[in-house]
């Protein structure tokens, strides 16, 4: 009778060992350092970085175009001085219209 129990115990131990190894491999696949969740997080980070890179490239193109316009002539410099610094050319009259409802800015 002992021989038959020992013969049945061997396959059960092998099956349990196989299940344990499979469980370890699946846990590594899902939760490991290069597992599924880690790869998903990295893909999300790459997508965010790509978005940021595209916005910065667009901004750089706009700045490069502005630099080229500033190098080409004084019209762009004058227009910028008028809009940002309130420049008035010689012979022009400057009128400041104040809205009474608007509070003065400090």
């Amino acid at each position: 009778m002992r021989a038959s129990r020992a013969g049945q115990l061997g396959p059960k131990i092998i099956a349990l060992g196989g299940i344990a190894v499979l469980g370890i491999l699946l846990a590594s696949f899902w939760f490991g350092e290069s597992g599924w969740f880690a790869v998903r997080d990295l893909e999300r980070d790459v997508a965010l970085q790509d978005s940021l890179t595209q916005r910065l490239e667009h901004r750089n193109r706009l700045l490069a175009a502005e630099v080229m316009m500033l190098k080409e002539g004084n019209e762009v410099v004058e227009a910028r001085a008028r809009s940002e610094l309130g420049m008035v050319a010689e012979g022009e009259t400057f009128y400041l219209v104040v809205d009474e409802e608007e509070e003065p800015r400090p």
Side-chain angles (χ1 to χ4, degrees), residues 26-89:
L26 284 174
S28 174
F29 172 76
W30 289 103
F31 305 108
E33 192 172 306
S34 60
W36 187 82
F37 290 114
V39 170
R40 184 188 64 182
D41 291 343
L42 285 174
E43 287 174 348
R44 185 191 67 230
D45 293 345
V46 167
L48 289 172
Q49 193 63 43
D50 282 343
S51 172
L52 176 63
T53 301
Q54 288 175 359
R55 284 185 291 176
L56 291 174
E57 286 175 347
H58 177 69
R59 186 196 68 180
N60 287 347
R61 283 193 298 271
L62 291 175
L63 289 173
E66 187 174 346
V67 167
M68 291 301 295
M69 288 189 305
L70 290 172
K71 287 181 178 180
E72 286 179 5
N74 290 334
E75 297 87 23
V76 176
V77 174
E78 185 177 324
R80 191 159 190 172
R82 287 176 183 275
S83 67
E84 293 181 10
L85 303 174
M87 183 187 103
V88 179

Side-chain angles (χ1 to χ4, degrees), residues 3-22:
S4 66
R5 278 192 178 175
Q8 292 174 355
L9 191 58
K12 288 181 182 180
I13 292 175
I14 292 174
L16 288 175
I19 290 172
V21 169
L22 181 62

